[in-house]
PDB file of all heavy atoms in Angstrom:
ATOM      1  N   ALA A 282      11.603  25.904  -0.485  1.00 98.00           N
ATOM      2  CA  ALA A 282      11.943  25.398   0.854  1.00 98.00           C
ATOM      3  C   ALA A 282      12.249  23.903   0.797  1.00 98.00           C
ATOM      4  O   ALA A 282      11.704  23.174  -0.032  1.00 98.00           O
ATOM      5  CB  ALA A 282      10.791  25.648   1.821  1.00 98.00           C
ATOM      6  N   ILE A 283      13.095  23.474   1.703  1.00 99.00           N
ATOM      7  CA  ILE A 283      13.454  22.060   1.837  1.00 99.00           C
ATOM      8  C   ILE A 283      12.775  21.486   3.076  1.00 99.00           C
ATOM      9  O   ILE A 283      12.751  22.115   4.136  1.00 99.00           O
ATOM     10  CB  ILE A 283      14.987  21.898   1.963  1.00 99.00           C
ATOM     11  CG1 ILE A 283      15.673  22.326   0.658  1.00 99.00           C
ATOM     12  CG2 ILE A 283      15.357  20.457   2.344  1.00 99.00           C
ATOM     13  CD1 ILE A 283      15.246  21.556  -0.578  1.00 99.00           C
ATOM     14  N   SER A 284      12.220  20.294   2.904  1.00 99.00           N
ATOM     15  CA  SER A 284      11.720  19.543   4.054  1.00 99.00           C
ATOM     16  C   SER A 284      12.809  18.578   4.490  1.00 99.00           C
ATOM     17  O   SER A 284      13.150  17.640   3.763  1.00 99.00           O
ATOM     18  CB  SER A 284      10.450  18.779   3.669  1.00 99.00           C
ATOM     19  OG  SER A 284      10.022  18.012   4.773  1.00 99.00           O
ATOM     20  N   HIS A 285      13.335  18.813   5.662  1.00 98.00           N
ATOM     21  CA  HIS A 285      14.396  17.960   6.222  1.00 98.00           C
ATOM     22  C   HIS A 285      13.725  16.814   6.986  1.00 98.00           C
ATOM     23  O   HIS A 285      12.931  17.063   7.894  1.00 98.00           O
ATOM     24  CB  HIS A 285      15.268  18.820   7.138  1.00 98.00           C
ATOM     25  CG  HIS A 285      16.255  18.046   7.943  1.00 98.00           C
ATOM     26  ND1 HIS A 285      16.860  16.894   7.496  1.00 98.00           N
ATOM     27  CD2 HIS A 285      16.754  18.272   9.202  1.00 98.00           C
ATOM     28  CE1 HIS A 285      17.679  16.440   8.436  1.00 98.00           C
ATOM     29  NE2 HIS A 285      17.627  17.254   9.467  1.00 98.00           N
ATOM     30  N   CYS A 286      14.065  15.579   6.601  1.00 98.00           N
ATOM     31  CA  CYS A 286      13.367  14.389   7.108  1.00 98.00           C
ATOM     32  C   CYS A 286      14.381  13.450   7.766  1.00 98.00           C
ATOM     33  O   CYS A 286      14.740  12.401   7.203  1.00 98.00           O
ATOM     34  CB  CYS A 286      12.663  13.684   5.950  1.00 98.00           C
ATOM     35  SG  CYS A 286      11.563  14.746   4.987  1.00 98.00           S
ATOM     36  N   PRO A 287      14.848  13.764   8.960  1.00 98.00           N
ATOM     37  CA  PRO A 287      15.993  13.028   9.498  1.00 98.00           C
ATOM     38  C   PRO A 287      15.730  11.591   9.923  1.00 98.00           C
ATOM     39  O   PRO A 287      16.642  10.768   9.813  1.00 98.00           O
ATOM     40  CB  PRO A 287      16.430  13.886  10.693  1.00 98.00           C
ATOM     41  CG  PRO A 287      15.250  14.715  11.039  1.00 98.00           C
ATOM     42  CD  PRO A 287      14.497  14.940   9.768  1.00 98.00           C
ATOM     43  N   THR A 288      14.507  11.242  10.381  1.00 98.00           N
ATOM     44  CA  THR A 288      14.327   9.814  10.723  1.00 98.00           C
ATOM     45  C   THR A 288      14.348   8.967   9.456  1.00 98.00           C
ATOM     46  O   THR A 288      14.904   7.869   9.427  1.00 98.00           O
ATOM     47  CB  THR A 288      13.056   9.504  11.557  1.00 98.00           C
ATOM     48  OG1 THR A 288      11.890   9.689  10.775  1.00 98.00           O
ATOM     49  CG2 THR A 288      12.983  10.329  12.826  1.00 98.00           C
ATOM     50  N   SER A 289      13.773   9.491   8.393  1.00 98.00           N
ATOM     51  CA  SER A 289      13.794   8.769   7.122  1.00 98.00           C
ATOM     52  C   SER A 289      15.214   8.673   6.566  1.00 98.00           C
ATOM     53  O   SER A 289      15.649   7.609   6.115  1.00 98.00           O
ATOM     54  CB  SER A 289      12.879   9.485   6.124  1.00 98.00           C
ATOM     55  OG  SER A 289      13.054   8.985   4.824  1.00 98.00           O
ATOM     56  N   ASN A 290      15.931   9.793   6.606  1.00 98.00           N
ATOM     57  CA  ASN A 290      17.305   9.785   6.080  1.00 98.00           C
ATOM     58  C   ASN A 290      18.168   8.768   6.825  1.00 98.00           C
ATOM     59  O   ASN A 290      19.053   8.137   6.235  1.00 98.00           O
ATOM     60  CB  ASN A 290      17.934  11.172   6.195  1.00 98.00           C
ATOM     61  CG  ASN A 290      17.251  12.198   5.309  1.00 98.00           C
ATOM     62  OD1 ASN A 290      16.546  11.834   4.363  1.00 98.00           O
ATOM     63  ND2 ASN A 290      17.452  13.474   5.611  1.00 98.00           N
ATOM     64  N   SER A 291      17.895   8.603   8.112  1.00 98.00           N
ATOM     65  CA  SER A 291      18.652   7.627   8.893  1.00 98.00           C
ATOM     66  C   SER A 291      18.159   6.210   8.600  1.00 98.00           C
ATOM     67  O   SER A 291      18.958   5.297   8.390  1.00 98.00           O
ATOM     68  CB  SER A 291      18.510   7.921  10.386  1.00 98.00           C
ATOM     69  OG  SER A 291      18.980   9.222  10.677  1.00 98.00           O
ATOM     70  N   ALA A 292      16.841   6.019   8.578  1.00 98.00           N
ATOM     71  CA  ALA A 292      16.279   4.677   8.409  1.00 98.00           C
ATOM     72  C   ALA A 292      16.643   4.073   7.054  1.00 98.00           C
ATOM     73  O   ALA A 292      16.945   2.887   6.951  1.00 98.00           O
ATOM     74  CB  ALA A 292      14.759   4.726   8.574  1.00 98.00           C
ATOM     75  N   LEU A 293      16.590   4.900   6.003  1.00 98.00           N
ATOM     76  CA  LEU A 293      16.891   4.402   4.654  1.00 98.00           C
ATOM     77  C   LEU A 293      18.379   4.562   4.319  1.00 98.00           C
ATOM     78  O   LEU A 293      18.795   4.269   3.194  1.00 98.00           O
ATOM     79  CB  LEU A 293      16.034   5.130   3.612  1.00 98.00           C
ATOM     80  CG  LEU A 293      14.510   4.957   3.742  1.00 98.00           C
ATOM     81  CD1 LEU A 293      13.770   5.812   2.721  1.00 98.00           C
ATOM     82  CD2 LEU A 293      14.101   3.495   3.590  1.00 98.00           C
ATOM     83  N   GLY A 294      19.148   5.028   5.293  1.00 98.00           N
ATOM     84  CA  GLY A 294      20.588   5.190   5.073  1.00 98.00           C
ATOM     85  C   GLY A 294      20.900   6.223   4.003  1.00 98.00           C
ATOM     86  O   GLY A 294      21.918   6.130   3.306  1.00 98.00           O
ATOM     87  N   SER A 295      20.034   7.225   3.874  1.00 98.00           N
ATOM     88  CA  SER A 295      20.211   8.191   2.776  1.00 98.00           C
ATOM     89  C   SER A 295      21.367   9.146   3.028  1.00 98.00           C
ATOM     90  O   SER A 295      22.008   9.603   2.079  1.00 98.00           O
ATOM     91  CB  SER A 295      18.915   8.976   2.564  1.00 98.00           C
ATOM     92  OG  SER A 295      17.854   8.092   2.268  1.00 98.00           O
ATOM     93  N   GLY A 296      21.615   9.472   4.291  1.00 98.00           N
ATOM     94  CA  GLY A 296      22.757  10.336   4.601  1.00 98.00           C
ATOM     95  C   GLY A 296      22.428  11.371   5.659  1.00 98.00           C
ATOM     96  O   GLY A 296      21.335  11.371   6.236  1.00 98.00           O
ATOM     97  N   LEU A 297      23.408  12.238   5.925  1.00 98.00           N
ATOM     98  CA  LEU A 297      23.315  13.226   7.004  1.00 98.00           C
ATOM     99  C   LEU A 297      23.085  14.605   6.392  1.00 98.00           C
ATOM    100  O   LEU A 297      23.865  15.063   5.555  1.00 98.00           O
ATOM    101  CB  LEU A 297      24.607  13.210   7.831  1.00 98.00           C
ATOM    102  CG  LEU A 297      24.996  11.837   8.403  1.00 98.00           C
ATOM    103  CD1 LEU A 297      26.354  11.912   9.113  1.00 98.00           C
ATOM    104  CD2 LEU A 297      23.930  11.311   9.366  1.00 98.00           C
ATOM    105  N   PHE A 298      22.033  15.271   6.794  1.00 98.00           N
ATOM    106  CA  PHE A 298      21.591  16.536   6.173  1.00 98.00           C
ATOM    107  C   PHE A 298      22.606  17.655   6.391  1.00 98.00           C
ATOM    108  O   PHE A 298      22.945  17.968   7.542  1.00 98.00           O
ATOM    109  CB  PHE A 298      20.253  16.932   6.784  1.00 98.00           C
ATOM    110  CG  PHE A 298      19.641  18.192   6.225  1.00 98.00           C
ATOM    111  CD1 PHE A 298      19.222  18.247   4.905  1.00 98.00           C
ATOM    112  CD2 PHE A 298      19.472  19.313   7.020  1.00 98.00           C
ATOM    113  CE1 PHE A 298      18.637  19.403   4.384  1.00 98.00           C
ATOM    114  CE2 PHE A 298      18.879  20.466   6.519  1.00 98.00           C
ATOM    115  CZ  PHE A 298      18.456  20.511   5.200  1.00 98.00           C
ATOM    116  N   PRO A 299      23.077  18.293   5.316  1.00 98.00           N
ATOM    117  CA  PRO A 299      24.040  19.393   5.458  1.00 98.00           C
ATOM    118  C   PRO A 299      23.350  20.709   5.839  1.00 98.00           C
ATOM    119  O   PRO A 299      23.242  21.628   5.030  1.00 98.00           O
ATOM    120  CB  PRO A 299      24.686  19.460   4.074  1.00 98.00           C
ATOM    121  CG  PRO A 299      23.631  18.992   3.130  1.00 98.00           C
ATOM    122  CD  PRO A 299      22.795  17.986   3.889  1.00 98.00           C
ATOM    123  N   MET A 300      22.900  20.793   7.082  1.00 98.00           N
ATOM    124  CA  MET A 300      22.146  21.973   7.533  1.00 98.00           C
ATOM    125  C   MET A 300      22.981  23.236   7.433  1.00 98.00           C
ATOM    126  O   MET A 300      22.501  24.291   7.022  1.00 98.00           O
ATOM    127  CB  MET A 300      21.672  21.755   8.978  1.00 98.00           C
ATOM    128  CG  MET A 300      20.683  22.797   9.461  1.00 98.00           C
ATOM    129  SD  MET A 300      20.095  22.479  11.139  1.00 98.00           S
ATOM    130  CE  MET A 300      19.036  21.050  10.916  1.00 98.00           C
ATOM    131  N   ARG A 301      24.247  23.117   7.813  1.00 98.00           N
ATOM    132  CA  ARG A 301      25.127  24.286   7.792  1.00 98.00           C
ATOM    133  C   ARG A 301      25.171  24.898   6.390  1.00 98.00           C
ATOM    134  O   ARG A 301      25.097  26.111   6.222  1.00 98.00           O
ATOM    135  CB  ARG A 301      26.524  23.859   8.261  1.00 98.00           C
ATOM    136  CG  ARG A 301      27.664  24.753   7.837  1.00 98.00           C
ATOM    137  CD  ARG A 301      28.202  25.656   8.911  1.00 98.00           C
ATOM    138  NE  ARG A 301      28.692  24.971  10.074  1.00 98.00           N
ATOM    139  CZ  ARG A 301      29.982  24.842  10.393  1.00 98.00           C
ATOM    140  NH1 ARG A 301      30.918  25.315   9.589  1.00 98.00           N
ATOM    141  NH2 ARG A 301      30.337  24.276  11.512  1.00 98.00           N
ATOM    142  N   ARG A 302      25.279  24.077   5.353  1.00 98.00           N
ATOM    143  CA  ARG A 302      25.343  24.602   3.976  1.00 98.00           C
ATOM    144  C   ARG A 302      24.020  25.238   3.569  1.00 98.00           C
ATOM    145  O   ARG A 302      23.993  26.222   2.828  1.00 98.00           O
ATOM    146  CB  ARG A 302      25.747  23.491   3.003  1.00 98.00           C
ATOM    147  CG  ARG A 302      27.208  23.037   3.204  1.00 98.00           C
ATOM    148  CD  ARG A 302      27.560  21.848   2.321  1.00 98.00           C
ATOM    149  NE  ARG A 302      27.384  22.115   0.917  1.00 98.00           N
ATOM    150  CZ  ARG A 302      26.821  21.274   0.035  1.00 98.00           C
ATOM    151  NH1 ARG A 302      26.382  20.083   0.433  1.00 98.00           N
ATOM    152  NH2 ARG A 302      26.702  21.609  -1.230  1.00 98.00           N
ATOM    153  N   HIS A 303      22.914  24.709   4.030  1.00 98.00           N
ATOM    154  CA  HIS A 303      21.620  25.344   3.740  1.00 98.00           C
ATOM    155  C   HIS A 303      21.557  26.729   4.385  1.00 98.00           C
ATOM    156  O   HIS A 303      21.079  27.693   3.774  1.00 98.00           O
ATOM    157  CB  HIS A 303      20.469  24.468   4.241  1.00 98.00           C
ATOM    158  CG  HIS A 303      20.172  23.289   3.360  1.00 98.00           C
ATOM    159  ND1 HIS A 303      21.013  22.202   3.269  1.00 98.00           N
ATOM    160  CD2 HIS A 303      19.143  23.023   2.512  1.00 98.00           C
ATOM    161  CE1 HIS A 303      20.507  21.322   2.403  1.00 98.00           C
ATOM    162  NE2 HIS A 303      19.373  21.797   1.938  1.00 98.00           N
ATOM    163  N   LEU A 304      22.025  26.817   5.634  1.00 98.00           N
ATOM    164  CA  LEU A 304      22.008  28.113   6.331  1.00 98.00           C
ATOM    165  C   LEU A 304      22.936  29.102   5.638  1.00 98.00           C
ATOM    166  O   LEU A 304      22.570  30.256   5.390  1.00 98.00           O
ATOM    167  CB  LEU A 304      22.429  27.923   7.790  1.00 98.00           C
ATOM    168  CG  LEU A 304      21.391  27.243   8.695  1.00 98.00           C
ATOM    169  CD1 LEU A 304      22.023  26.833  10.025  1.00 98.00           C
ATOM    170  CD2 LEU A 304      20.187  28.157   8.932  1.00 98.00           C
ATOM    171  N   GLU A 305      24.144  28.648   5.317  1.00 98.00           N
ATOM    172  CA  GLU A 305      25.132  29.551   4.704  1.00 98.00           C
ATOM    173  C   GLU A 305      24.643  30.082   3.363  1.00 98.00           C
ATOM    174  O   GLU A 305      24.927  31.219   3.000  1.00 98.00           O
ATOM    175  CB  GLU A 305      26.462  28.812   4.501  1.00 98.00           C
ATOM    176  CG  GLU A 305      27.246  28.651   5.791  1.00 98.00           C
ATOM    177  CD  GLU A 305      28.446  27.710   5.666  1.00 98.00           C
ATOM    178  OE1 GLU A 305      28.629  27.086   4.594  1.00 98.00           O
ATOM    179  OE2 GLU A 305      29.171  27.585   6.651  1.00 98.00           O
TER     180      GLU A 305
END
Side-chain angles (χ1 to χ4, degrees):
I283 294 301
S284 177
H285 171 33
C286 306
T288 69
S289 169
N290 294 341
S291 301
L293 298 176
S295 301
L297 305 175
F298 182 66
M300 190 178 289
R301 158 104 59 107
R302 291 175 59 223
H303 283 71
L304 287 168
E305 284 170 355

